[in-house]
């Protein structure tokens, strides 16, 4: 194993042991570092400022958010190398610090959500009902009704669901446990699906090798969207999570409550939704403030 490959592995092991980094986070770091290693000819761990300064020339076609992530990955890696004594200086000050403009999250309209659930309801009214339809109902109730991440949903255990409790206990990013409220409608949908799952199964959504994968979940969601007449490119489990957040804010929820429901450790992550909250606040001022009822231009 080359020095780069060996030190990248040690760095990733540190992230797991010290920060509890998720599989998705580790995969992103690995990709960024391995690509940089290839660009530098396998000399990333010994690269000087001149070599590091050349890296951004390979990122010209990438979005600012991706460039910022790659720069962050490399800064953290070089900091690790210095701290662990693998090199004596940190060249990451040669990396760019692009202004990061966060794009608004993709979401779905209330009408599109209604179409998705209407098709499920029609399937549940059929006799005999198909197990795949019952599973689909449980999946959509949890993704849109509770805002679960894809990884959280596929990793749900049967023991996470109890019929008399209005919440789930799930493990989110960094293996942190959090409580997720679950509606009565979702409990019914999940309970109905549980009846189709062998009681010996550990997972709520099992497969032949464990639980269904995130890739299979994406496929299930997109297949259903196509049947409902919605462009599959518009939807994913994460888009349903965004729709959950967006529609809650439109209904009057505040950002702090949303932060808790989404499992964000930092409110700044939740603030991507402030465009919705701000619009609601403007409407409140324009239509609910006492001065808005007075005609001052007489």
């Amino acid at each position: 194993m080359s020095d780069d490959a060996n030190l990248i592995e040690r760095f990733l092991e540190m992230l797991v042991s010290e920060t509890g980094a998720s599989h998705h986070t580790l995969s992103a770091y690995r990709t960024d570092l391995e690509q940089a290693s290839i660009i530098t000819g396998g000399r990333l761990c010994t690269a000087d400022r001149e070599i590091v300064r050349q890296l951004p020339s390979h990122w010209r076609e990438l979005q600012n958010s991706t460039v910022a992530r790659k720069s962050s990955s490399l800064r953290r890696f070089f900091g690790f190398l210095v701290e662990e004594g693998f090199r004596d200086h940190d060249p990451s000050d040669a990396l760019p610090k692009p202004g990061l403009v966060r794009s608004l999250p993709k979401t779905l309209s209330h009408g599109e959500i209604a179409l998705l659930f209407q098709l499920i309801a029609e399937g549940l009214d059929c006799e005999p009902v198909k197990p795949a339809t019952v599973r689909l109902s449980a999946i959509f109730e949890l993704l849109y009704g509770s805002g679960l991440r894809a990884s959280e949903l596929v990793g749900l255990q049967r023991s996470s669901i109890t019929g008399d409790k209005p919440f789930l206990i799930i493990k989110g990013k960094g293996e942190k446990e959090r409580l997720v409220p679950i509606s009565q409608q979702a409990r019914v949908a999940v309970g109905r699906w549980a009846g189709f799952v062998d009681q010996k199964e550990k997972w709520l959504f099992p497969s032949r090798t464990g639980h269904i994968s995130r890739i299979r979940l994406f496929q299930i969601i997109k297949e259903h969207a196509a049947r409902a007449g919605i462009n599959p490119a518009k939807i994913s489990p994460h888009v349903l999570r965004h729709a959950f957040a967006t529609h809650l804010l439109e209904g009057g929820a505040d950002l702090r409550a949303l932060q808790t429901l989404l499992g964000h450790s930092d409110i700044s992550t939740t603030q991507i939704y402030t465009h919705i909250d701000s619009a609601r606040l403007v409407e409140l001022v324009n239509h609910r403030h006492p001065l808005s009822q007075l005609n001052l231009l007489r």
Side-chain angles (χ1 to χ4, degrees):
M1 182 180 291
S2 68
D3 287 345
D4 275 4
N6 179 51
L7 290 175
I8 288 172
E9 288 300 327
R10 295 183 67 161
F11 170 68
L12 296 176
E13 289 172 4
M14 179 277 294
L15 288 180
V16 172
S17 62
E18 294 188 11
T19 70
S22 68
H23 175 75
H24 177 76
T25 299
L26 294 175
S27 178
Y29 272 111
R30 181 185 296 278
T31 298
D32 291 341
L33 296 175
E34 288 181 347
Q35 288 177 352
S37 178
I38 291 171
I39 293 171
T40 59
R43 296 180 293 135
L44 180 62
C45 61
T46 59
D48 58 21
R49 292 184 77 260
E50 290 305 313
I51 293 176
V52 171
R53 185 180 287 116
Q54 296 171 20
L55 287 172
S57 65
H58 298 268
W59 303 340
R60 288 172 181 162
E61 303 301 320
L62 302 178
Q63 295 183 352
N64 267 6
S65 58
T66 304
V67 173
R69 192 201 70 215
K70 287 181 175 295
S71 293
S72 176
S73 297
L74 288 166
R75 284 193 180 89
R76 194 160 187 180
F77 178 61
F78 286 129
F80 163 79
L81 294 181
V82 172
E83 185 175 344
E84 295 295 317
F86 294 113
R87 60 180 297 156
D88 57 9
H89 68 284
D90 184 347
S92 60
D93 60 342
L95 291 167
K97 298 179 181 179
L100 184 57
V101 179
R102 300 186 69 182
S103 59
L104 297 180
K106 295 179 181 179
T107 187
L108 297 170
S109 68
H110 290 273
E112 289 169 324
I113 290 292
L115 285 174
L116 294 168
F117 278 92
Q118 178 183 340
L119 186 58
I120 291 173
E122 291 172 358
L124 293 175
D125 285 339
C126 294
E127 290 292 343
V129 66
K130 296 180 180 179
T133 302
V134 179
R135 182 181 68 172
L136 191 65
S137 174
I139 286 173
F140 269 82
E141 288 288 352
L142 290 171
L143 289 176
Y144 175 69
S146 295
L148 297 191
R149 299 179 178 93
S151 57
E152 293 171 343
L153 183 136
V154 299
L156 276 176
Q157 298 185 15
R158 284 175 56 92
S159 58
S160 302
I161 310 291
T162 54
D164 59 339
K165 293 183 180 179
F167 56 81
L168 304 173
I169 300 177
I170 62 175
K171 285 188 177 181
K173 287 188 174 181
E175 294 297 300
K176 295 179 180 178
E177 287 190 345
R178 65 186 180 98
L179 294 180
V180 177
I182 179 172
S183 68
Q184 176 61 33
Q185 186 170 325
R187 288 205 302 274
V188 171
V190 171
R192 189 173 187 181
W193 165 243
F196 286 86
V197 180
D198 191 317
Q199 292 188 358
K200 297 179 181 178
E201 286 284 357
K202 175 182 178 180
W203 308 107
L204 182 62
F205 298 104
S207 70
R208 284 175 292 184
T209 58
H211 57 66
I212 62 171
S213 66
R214 289 196 298 178
I215 292 176
R216 180 58 188 141
L217 178 63
F218 273 60
Q219 293 171 341
I220 291 170
I221 298 299
K222 289 181 180 294
E223 288 166 2
H224 181 65
R227 290 193 296 269
I230 297 172
N231 183 354
K234 290 187 63 176
I235 193 170
S236 70
H238 209 62
V239 168
L240 288 171
R241 176 173 159 87
H242 285 317
F244 161 81
T246 301
H247 296 167
L248 270 180
L249 278 177
E250 290 175 349
D254 61 67
L255 284 175
R256 285 292 179 185
L258 193 61
Q259 177 189 4
T260 300
L261 292 171
L262 292 174
H264 291 162
S265 58
D266 191 333
I267 188 65
S268 64
T269 307
T270 318
Q271 285 173 342
I272 188 66
Y273 297 101
T274 53
H275 68 292
I276 303 161
D277 202 40
S278 297
R280 181 171 61 86
L281 292 175
V282 170
E283 182 181 4
L284 284 173
V285 170
N286 287 336
H287 298 286
R288 303 294 179 86
H289 193 281
L291 287 178
S292 68
Q293 309 302 317
L294 299 178
N295 183 3
L296 299 180
L297 299 178
R298 293 181 180 175

